[in-house]
Each structure stands twice: as C-alpha cells, then as structure tokens.
C-alpha cells in the first residue's frame, strides 16, 4: 500500500481527496504546512508527496526546491487552473507531475499510480473492480463489459467506477460530483448528466429494454445489478 502525504491548507479539499484515495487503496496522511513535508521527505516515511503551490509561510515551489536538494521522493504539485508559470517552475525544479485545482480525485489517483509505477514504488495497481458483467482496472483505466473492452474517456471511467463500487445502490449527484470532480455540485451543472448519457450508450440496454444506469430525478444514478 503506497503511503501518500497531502500538504494543502484547504482542509475541505484535503478531506475529500483523502477519502477518495483511501478508498482507492492508498495510505494517506495530511498536513497543512511545509514542515511536515520536509520531515516526511527527510525520514523517507512516505512514498509520494502531493504539494499545493499556494500555502502559508513557505509556498509549494519553495518547498519543492528545498526537498529536491536532499532527495528524489516523487512529488505531484497542485496548481491553480491556468497558472502556467507555477507549472513550468515546478517541473523545472523536479516535480514529477502537476494537477490543476479544483482537481478530480480520480485524476489525482491516476497520476499517483502512474508516477509510483515509474518509480518502482508500491501502488494499488492490481486492484480490480467488478460489478456483474463489468470489470474495471483503475490503474490502467481499462474497462471490460460483457467480456469486451469498452472505450471510455477519463471522466466516463471515473463516473462508471463510482457507480460500480456501489452497484445496486443509488449514488447521489452530490456524492458523484465530490468524488469525480472534488467539489460540490452547483445549480444547472449538467456535466454529470452528459457524461452518464454517453456511458449509457456504450453499455447498451438490458434484455427488458432498460438502461443499465437508472436515474432518480433530482437525486442521482444507480448501476443495476445483473438479474
């Protein structure tokens, strides 16, 4: 089980990311300031660091520079969306990757797995999610439906995985939004509906003509179990 340290002073986002990563098989610790990251890197007590660029006292870029002087622990930077200067600076100083905030927990998990595989560290790469005729491999982003591989976009994979992990249960739109996009669902946001519609088409229909993914108006979605 890979050990991850999330360093970010946004406690709400950190809590959401931790909950998702733990469910994905990671061992997660959190911190709000730089000293915890410096100590963890020096002690080699974690396998990978996730650092927010905007932090009090010492920002993520300065923290990255300090850590890189003494070691090669894998590091992912959380940067503000559209802030190319921070991304370029981080990569030039030795960051392994970056994810834009607000970020999708699923995207972050995928980036962490990819970096851990490259660095030879342990990960949740062998996990398989099964729900009836559906088999999903989160690490490789491969999904098989009724014995055949289906072509899903990154977001479609994340949404279907969320439903597959709770097959037969109603999953609220708020939970889906928090787990897939890292934030609460806002009024008139139709992204989930659009992506789910696409996934429905790729799964086809049941023998009774129903969609495999049922919706409950105003509440959420449910992946039906095989009969």
């Amino acid at each position: 089980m890979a050990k991850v340290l999330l360093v970010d002073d946004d406690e709400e986002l950190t809590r959401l990311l931790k909950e998702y990563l733990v469910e994905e098989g990671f061992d997660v610790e959190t911190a709000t300031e730089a000293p915890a990251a410096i100590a963890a890197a020096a002690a080699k007590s974690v396998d990978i660091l996730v650092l927010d660029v905007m932090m009090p006292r010492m920002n993520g870029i300065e923290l990255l520079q300090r850590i890189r002087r003494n070691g090669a622990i894998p590091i992912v930077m959380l940067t503000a969306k559209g802030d190319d200067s921070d991304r370029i600076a981080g990569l030039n100083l030795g960051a392994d990757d970056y994810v834009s905030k607000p970020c999708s927990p699923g995207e972050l998990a995928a980036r962490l797995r990819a970096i851990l595989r490259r660095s030879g560290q342990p990960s949740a790469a062998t996990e398989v999610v099964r729900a009836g005729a559906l088999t999903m491999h989160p690490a490789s982003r491969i999904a098989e439906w009724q014995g055949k591989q289906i072509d899903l976009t990154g977001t479609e994979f994340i949404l279907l995985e969320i439903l597959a992990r709770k097959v037969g249960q109603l999953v609220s739109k708020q939970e889906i939004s928090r787990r897939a996009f890292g934030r609460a669902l806002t009024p008139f946001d139709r992204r989930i509906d659009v992506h789910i519609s696409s996934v429905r088409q790729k799964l086809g229909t049941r023998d009774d003509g129903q969609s495999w993914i049922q919706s409950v108006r105003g509440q959420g979605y449910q992946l039906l179990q095989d009969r």
Side-chain angles (χ1 to χ4, degrees):
M1 184 180 292
K3 294 184 179 180
V4 181
L5 176 62
L6 291 172
V7 187
D8 193 328
D9 62 339
D10 184 338
E11 294 185 6
E12 175 65 13
L13 176 61
T14 301
R15 181 183 63 79
L16 290 170
L17 292 177
K18 178 177 180 177
E19 287 178 359
Y20 185 90
L21 292 176
V22 167
E23 288 192 13
E24 290 288 296
F26 293 93
D27 180 4
V28 184
E29 298 179 9
T30 63
T32 57
E33 295 188 353
I38 295 171
K44 298 181 179 179
S45 59
V46 297
D47 298 308
I48 191 165
L49 297 173
V50 180
L51 308 178
D52 181 32
V53 168
M54 299 300 294
M55 289 190 296
R57 297 187 177 89
M58 181 184 296
N59 68 38
I61 297 298
E62 293 173 315
L63 176 56
L64 169 64
Q65 193 170 24
R66 179 163 176 176
I67 291 173
R68 275 291 174 259
R69 290 185 193 134
N70 302 308
I73 185 172
I75 296 174
V76 175
M77 304 297 296
L78 296 178
T79 68
K81 189 173 183 179
D83 196 338
D84 292 334
S85 60
D86 280 340
R87 296 174 188 172
I88 294 170
L91 293 172
N92 285 338
L93 289 171
D96 294 271
D97 205 346
Y98 65 84
V99 176
S100 299
K101 293 174 65 177
C103 65
S104 156
E107 179 186 4
L108 177 58
R111 299 288 183 92
L112 292 176
R113 287 193 182 98
I115 293 168
L116 289 167
R117 285 198 302 273
R118 293 199 301 265
S119 64
Q121 297 290 341
S123 71
T126 59
E127 181 187 18
V128 178
V129 178
R130 291 188 174 88
L134 176 66
T135 302
M136 306 187 75
H137 304 268
S140 59
R141 281 293 196 268
I142 292 175
E144 298 168 353
W145 174 244
Q146 297 178 339
K148 296 181 180 180
Q149 187 170 325
I150 52 175
D151 184 20
L152 300 172
T153 67
T155 299
E156 289 170 359
F157 188 99
I158 292 167
L159 294 178
L160 183 55
E161 182 187 351
I162 290 170
L163 297 180
R165 288 181 180 275
K166 293 192 174 183
V167 62
Q169 301 178 44
L170 177 67
V171 185
S172 72
K173 283 189 173 183
Q174 282 293 353
E175 180 178 349
I176 293 172
S177 182
R178 288 182 180 278
R179 289 172 58 82
F181 304 113
R183 55 185 178 274
L185 187 70
T186 57
F188 310 112
D189 187 339
R190 296 295 308 279
R191 284 176 305 163
I192 293 174
D193 303 312
V194 172
H195 289 301
I196 290 292
S197 177
S198 178
V199 175
R200 277 173 164 164
Q201 293 179 26
K202 294 177 181 181
L203 296 182
T205 58
R206 290 157 50 102
D207 292 340
D208 59 8
Q210 291 188 81
S211 169
W212 283 98
I213 299 177
Q214 295 290 300
S215 62
V216 177
R217 186 176 179 82
Q219 296 186 44
Y221 290 98
Q222 174 184 354
L223 177 64
L224 298 182
Q225 293 177 311
D226 290 345
R227 287 183 173 176

